[in-house]
């Protein structure tokens, strides 16, 4: 079977390795035929050697959808022929965070495609506890976007109750777009999404996020005044991963409010401790998702609560994996969700 490995920054190696078969399964395991793979911002950082926690060499792929080929004797969630997705988190189940249910921040967490081999190959084996079945009618393309959708689902929970609150999402890439959509679905009064790309903001509007601002033309303080008036905003989500973004959110948000840090920063930002303390702000981290977030994301996609179609910008074949990374690097402000189609 085909497999693609990131051996060093900007170096992908295509390999032919032995097929996995039903005979390789344990009783609780599922054999998947991978159909679609999404490329995410964190993997772009890994490709360019800018991710702080990527081990080389590593098999690519952690956003994916697949068809079930075979199941172990004890598996009940799915059967052969079903379409499914699976979380890429490998956890110990024994540390303090795991014991209290926060396995997404396991002390020994390994994430496939970063610290453990991912699913960028034709066949892949996963345990049942990480699998979610895709309902009939949900496309494989959308299935490959469940993982980033689950990031949006989890990060919006980290902000507490959003009902009746005004929200700013800084960064209108795929994750920022999904964070904004989930904020609206969770009852936010209004959501303003900002970016430096008019194209991304246009896509946000197509996804139902009405309030947008290009901060190269309209500073955040002015955009907040235009959209929210004297109400201001009470929750911010930093999804751009740049210092100016988090500093602007801290400067403009209502005192006593919460900012959730969603992005992976290639370089640690210098923050204003004055704003943090004098305004009594809460900076909250968010790490991936838990299984219920995956299930919630699948439900939202199935019901049409979350609109994914405008986010899919480009498709590449498996053999064009390297071309996909290079395309993203050359089109950072115009590419959104890039899909690797293993059936092309």
């Amino acid at each position: 079977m085909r497999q693609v490995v990131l051996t060093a920054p900007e170096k992908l190696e295509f390999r032919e390795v032995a097929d996995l078969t039903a005979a390789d399964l344990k009783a609780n395991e599922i054999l998947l035929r991978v159909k679609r793979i999404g490329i995410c911002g964190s993997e772009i950082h890994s490709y360019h050697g800018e991710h702080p926690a990527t081990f080389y060499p590593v098999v690519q792929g952690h956003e994916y959808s697949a068809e079930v080929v075979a199941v172990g004797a004890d598996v009940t969630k799915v059967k052969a022929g079903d379409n499914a997705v699976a979380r890429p988190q490998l956890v110990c189940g024994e540390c303090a965070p795991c014991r209290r249910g926060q396995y997404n921040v396991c002390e020994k967490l390994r994430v496939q495609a970063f610290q453990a081999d991912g699913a960028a190959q034709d066949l892949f084996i996963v345990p049942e506890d990480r699998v979610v079945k895709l309902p009939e009618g949900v496309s494989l393309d959308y299935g490959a976007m469940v993982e980033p959708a689950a990031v949006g689902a989890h990060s919006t929970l980290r902000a507490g109750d959003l009902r009746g609150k005004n929200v700013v999402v800084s960064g209108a890439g795929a994750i920022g777009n999904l964070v904004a959509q989930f904020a609206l679905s969770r009852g936010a009064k209004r959501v303003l999404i900002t970016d430096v790309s008019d194209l991304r903001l246009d896509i946000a509007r197509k996804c139902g996020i009405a309030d947008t601002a290009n901060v190269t033309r309209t500073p955040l303080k002015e955009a907040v005044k235009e959209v929210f008036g004297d109400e201001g905003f009470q929750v911010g989500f930093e999804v751009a991963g740049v210092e100016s973004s988090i500093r602007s959110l801290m400067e403009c948000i209502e005192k006593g409010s919460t900012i959730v840090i969603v992005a992976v920063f290639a370089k640690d930002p210098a923050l204003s401790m004055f704003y943090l303390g004098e305004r009594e702000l809460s900076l909250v981290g968010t790490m991936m998702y838990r299984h219920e977030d995956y299930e919630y994301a699948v439900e939202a996609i199935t019901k049409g609560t979350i609109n994914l179609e405008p986010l899919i910008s480009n498709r590449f074949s498996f053999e064009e994996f390297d071309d996909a990374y290079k395309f993203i690097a050359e089109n950072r402000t115009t590419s959104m969700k890039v899909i690797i189609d293993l059936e092309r």
Side-chain angles (χ1 to χ4, degrees):
M1 67 178 179
R2 300 170 298 175
Q3 184 184 77
V4 62
V5 183
L6 184 64
T7 58
E10 300 186 3
K11 292 185 178 180
L12 288 181
E13 181 177 307
F14 291 85
R15 300 175 180 174
E16 283 290 331
V17 298
D19 281 348
L20 298 170
T21 70
D24 298 311
L25 294 176
K26 298 176 183 177
N28 69 324
E29 290 183 332
I30 298 162
L31 177 62
L32 300 173
R33 181 171 298 279
V34 180
K35 298 288 189 177
R36 305 283 191 277
I37 298 171
I39 295 178
C40 85
S42 295
E43 287 174 318
I44 295 165
H45 285 308
S46 294
Y47 180 79
H48 293 288
E50 298 171 345
H51 195 286
T54 296
F55 302 157
Y56 306 95
V58 65
V59 179
Q60 295 291 273
H62 76 288
E63 302 178 1
Y64 61 93
S65 58
E67 180 184 356
V68 176
V69 176
V71 300
D74 294 342
V75 172
T76 59
K77 281 186 180 180
V78 294
K79 63 182 184 305
D82 288 341
N83 290 334
V85 296
R87 290 182 292 109
Q89 299 149 310
L90 307 180
V91 303
C92 74
E94 299 174 352
C95 66
C98 280
R99 291 198 304 272
R100 63 175 180 257
Q102 289 182 275
Y103 52 84
N104 58 311
V105 289
C106 169
E107 296 285 1
K108 299 178 181 178
L109 176 68
R110 293 181 299 145
V111 181
Q112 290 171 323
F114 299 95
Q115 303 88 35
D117 286 339
Q121 55 192 48
D122 288 303
L123 296 161
F124 197 57
I125 292 176
V126 295
E128 184 180 27
D129 66 342
R130 290 198 280 118
V131 166
V132 177
K133 179 182 175 180
L134 287 179
E136 289 188 21
V138 175
S139 74
L140 290 166
D141 286 349
Y142 288 2
M145 297 176 70
V146 168
E147 195 274 351
V151 172
H154 184 74
S155 62
T156 47
L157 283 179
R158 295 287 293 153
D161 189 355
L162 294 178
R163 288 175 295 180
K165 294 181 180 178
N166 291 329
V167 174
V168 170
V169 178
S170 179
I175 295 293
N177 183 300
L178 290 163
V179 168
Q181 289 197 59
F182 274 103
L184 286 167
S185 74
R186 294 193 189 278
K189 185 176 181 180
R190 289 184 81 170
V191 175
L192 167 65
I193 191 167
T194 68
D195 205 277
V196 298
S197 165
D198 285 332
L199 176 64
R200 289 182 175 181
L201 296 173
D202 181 57
I203 291 170
R205 290 188 291 271
K206 290 177 181 177
C207 290
I209 309 160
D211 296 311
T212 65
N214 188 317
V215 290
T216 63
R217 294 192 299 271
T218 306
L220 181 60
K221 187 174 291 186
E222 292 181 20
V224 166
K225 185 68 173 178
E226 289 176 7
V227 173
F228 303 125
D230 293 335
E231 290 184 359
F233 69 105
Q234 297 75 48
V235 178
F237 291 92
E238 203 303 299
V239 204
V242 293
E243 182 177 308
S244 59
S245 168
I246 178 63
R247 290 181 68 89
S248 292
L249 286 172
M250 291 175 68
E251 179 183 355
C252 297
I253 199 168
E254 182 179 292
K255 289 187 175 184
S257 295
T258 299
I259 299 172
V260 181
I261 310 301
V262 184
V264 174
F265 283 74
K267 180 181 179 182
D268 284 339
L271 301 182
S272 170
M273 294 298 103
F274 172 77
Y275 281 132
L276 183 65
E278 189 269 342
R279 295 172 176 239
E280 200 170 73
L281 302 178
S282 296
L283 289 185
V284 177
T286 182
M287 178 58 177
M288 299 184 78
Y289 33 69
R290 298 177 200 159
H291 198 75
E292 56 266 31
D293 301 310
Y294 245 64
E295 293 174 330
Y296 185 78
V298 170
E299 180 183 354
I301 292 167
T302 303
K303 291 181 176 179
T305 307
I306 303 300
N307 185 5
L308 299 180
E309 187 59 36
L311 293 173
I312 302 173
S313 58
N314 304 89
R315 301 173 191 274
F316 292 83
S317 69
F318 188 81
E319 287 73 21
E320 295 172 320
F321 223 114
D322 199 39
D323 295 334
Y325 277 126
K326 291 174 180 176
F327 174 85
I328 294 167
E330 294 168 0
N331 299 273
R332 286 184 180 272
T333 61
T334 57
S335 61
M336 291 292 284
K337 180 52 61 180
V338 173
I339 300 286
I340 302 295
D341 186 343
L342 279 74
E343 297 182 300
R344 288 183 65 158

